[in-house]
Amino acid sequence: MNATCVERVTALRERVADAAPVNETQRALAPALVDALADAGLLRALMPRSFGGLGATLTDFVAALELLAAEDASTAWCVCQGAVIGTTSLWLPEDSIRRIWDDPRAAVANGPPMDAVAHVDGSGYRVTGRWGFSSGCQHATWMQGACRVVGGGRWGVAFFPKESVTLHDTWQVQGLRGTGSFEFSVSDQRVDADWFADMRRAPASDETLYRVPTGLVFAVSFAGVALGVARRGLDVAFELARDKHPKYASGALKDDPDAQRELGTAEARWRSARAYLHATIAEVLERVGQAAVISTDDRIALRLAGTHVMREAAAVFDAAYRVAGASGIYLDHPLQRPFQDMHVITQHVQARVGHYAYAGRYLLGDAFVPGPLN
């Protein structure tokens, strides 16, 4: 039997932890780690087996991201980003899909369009644009960018060989440094029709996962990353509390009722958030598997779960950080890097608090308004 994503990640956890400081310093995943992730199939985890992927279930994938993020959020983020966006290749012709994934080191990176347009040019397109936050772009073999088709009233997704784009080092940040999320651009780049995906069409595989909008697969997957970072924070705080004797306190931190209450509440919130996320994924995919398309109710369910779990995970981490007190402020403390990572995650568009209102309006009876994230 093929190993699950969780089993594959479990075998790599020590290597991920060892590479984390290198990722942080280099602002890119260590090459040896990228090779290990590729060998384990994690960079193509959500691609169907018929195209060389693992064909992983979304539940298994999200659980694996939790384990990765507990060791290094940047590694988990790159695996998440590459595996999810890689599935958009299924809207290309079969020959193009196979050209990408026949490479054992294949990895796809993308970013939201900042200003990207495609002009129809015979049987293909001329694309000019710039895209940001391209996590994993430094180890990617292909770049993918959404762009507006001029005069066509629609959007398409262009695929570019990595060597044909220009990378721009704008990633001067405190958290998720190892993702190396540079911007990239092309200018008047010719893209043949075989490398321009129309997401309105049916994908090359009819498996259940590909009936779920990519933006919503990202939502629940990033929530898994956030849960893993929060788990790391809680574990460090529990360990610290068992041994720490705070200055000017009469006893050990573990005997402080405020610390006990803070950590007990945080643990309950973490377990509740995780249960909510995994239950929602399982329930929605079961219904989608029985239907030709995903319902609006299930779109809202995934949107709420993704956003809420990311926000809850951040609240849990902040509780752990409070318990740590002054110990946690030092750069060499094990809480410091995941603290920065978590607070980059909460700034991501998928964690935006406005999604609550978006869902609330629908639940109150307003018409559903589709968008790129839903």
Side-chain angles (χ1 to χ4, degrees):
M1 179 181 293
N2 288 333
T4 65
C5 284
V6 167
E7 291 168 339
R8 292 165 190 261
V9 167
T10 299
L12 288 176
R13 289 187 73 170
E14 186 174 343
R15 295 185 68 173
V16 173
D18 289 345
V22 178
N23 302 341
E24 182 85 356
T25 301
Q26 295 184 351
R27 293 181 304 128
L29 298 192
L33 177 59
V34 174
D35 287 345
L37 295 170
D39 289 342
L42 293 169
L43 302 180
R44 59 179 73 206
L46 296 179
M47 285 294 292
R49 291 178 183 173
S50 57
F51 288 105
L54 296 184
T57 67
L58 188 54
T59 298
D60 176 37
F61 180 66
V62 170
L65 291 175
E66 292 176 34
L67 296 180
L68 278 174
E71 304 298 342
D72 179 45
S74 289
T75 300
W77 194 269
C78 285
V79 168
C80 175
Q81 187 80 18
V84 175
I85 207 61
T87 64
T88 62
S89 65
L90 291 169
W91 278 261
L92 293 171
E94 182 172 334
D95 287 348
S96 298
I97 302 171
R98 296 202 182 281
R99 181 176 165 189
I100 293 173
W101 298 109
D102 281 352
D103 177 358
R105 289 291 179 266
V108 180
N110 83 314
M114 303 166 72
D115 183 18
V117 296
H119 293 267
V120 177
D121 180 31
S123 61
Y125 301 85
R126 289 279 176 183
V127 179
T128 297
R130 185 159 175 153
W131 297 263
F133 301 104
S134 185
S135 302
C137 62
Q138 293 170 83
H139 65 257
T141 55
W142 287 85
M143 306 299 292
Q144 182 257 50
C147 43
R148 179 175 53 84
V149 179
V150 176
R154 64 183 177 89
W155 285 71
V157 176
F159 282 75
F160 311 99
K162 163 75 169 295
E163 59 272 15
S164 71
V165 309
T166 300
L167 296 180
H168 306 273
D169 182 359
T170 55
W171 196 240
Q172 305 298 330
V173 293
Q174 288 298 314
L176 294 181
R177 284 172 56 83
T179 65
S181 300
F182 293 7
E183 296 175 7
F184 73 95
S185 66
V186 297
S187 180
D188 197 33
Q189 177 78 30
R190 168 74 185 186
V191 178
D192 290 339
D194 286 350
W195 294 102
F196 199 84
D198 185 346
M199 305 294 287
R200 301 172 302 175
R201 299 174 181 170
S205 173
D206 191 36
E207 294 180 29
T208 299
L209 177 62
Y210 314 125
R211 302 175 196 171
V212 179
T214 305
L216 294 175
V217 178
F218 267 130
V220 295
S221 298
F222 286 146
V225 176
L227 281 174
V229 179
R231 183 70 262 164
R232 173 62 179 271
L234 273 179
D235 290 347
V236 170
F238 274 112
E239 183 178 355
L240 181 149
R242 294 186 186 104
D243 299 326
K244 183 175 180 176
H245 289 259
K247 290 182 179 180
Y248 314 119
S250 58
L253 184 58
K254 69 181 180 63
D255 298 321
D256 182 340
D258 290 332
Q260 294 167 351
R261 181 169 49 252
E262 189 92 85
L263 289 177
T265 301
E267 180 69 28
R269 291 179 75 171
W270 186 87
R271 295 186 189 189
S272 298
R274 187 178 191 276
Y276 170 42
L277 179 65
H278 283 275
T280 300
I281 293 171
E283 292 166 4
V284 167
L285 288 183
E286 182 178 3
R287 288 190 291 268
V288 172
Q290 299 170 357
V293 296
I294 184 172
S295 70
T296 299
D297 285 350
D298 282 338
R299 289 173 184 260
I300 293 297
L302 291 174
R303 166 49 55 211
L304 270 179
T307 299
H308 186 66
V309 170
M310 279 186 268
R311 308 304 305 188
E312 279 292 277
V316 166
F317 194 101
D318 285 349
Y321 191 72
R322 287 194 295 272
V323 168
S327 299
I329 70 174
Y330 293 95
L331 290 177
D332 61 352
H333 193 275
L335 276 177
Q336 191 54 220
R337 178 166 51 83
F339 175 87
Q340 300 295 342
D341 294 337
M342 180 62 83
H343 289 89
V344 170
I345 292 173
T346 59
Q347 301 302 96
H348 193 277
V349 64
Q350 291 282 3
R352 187 175 290 168
V353 294
H355 294 311
Y356 285 115
Y358 176 87
R361 285 192 297 272
Y362 172 77
L363 295 172
L364 286 168
D366 281 8
F368 173 71
V369 179
L373 299 180
N374 303 296

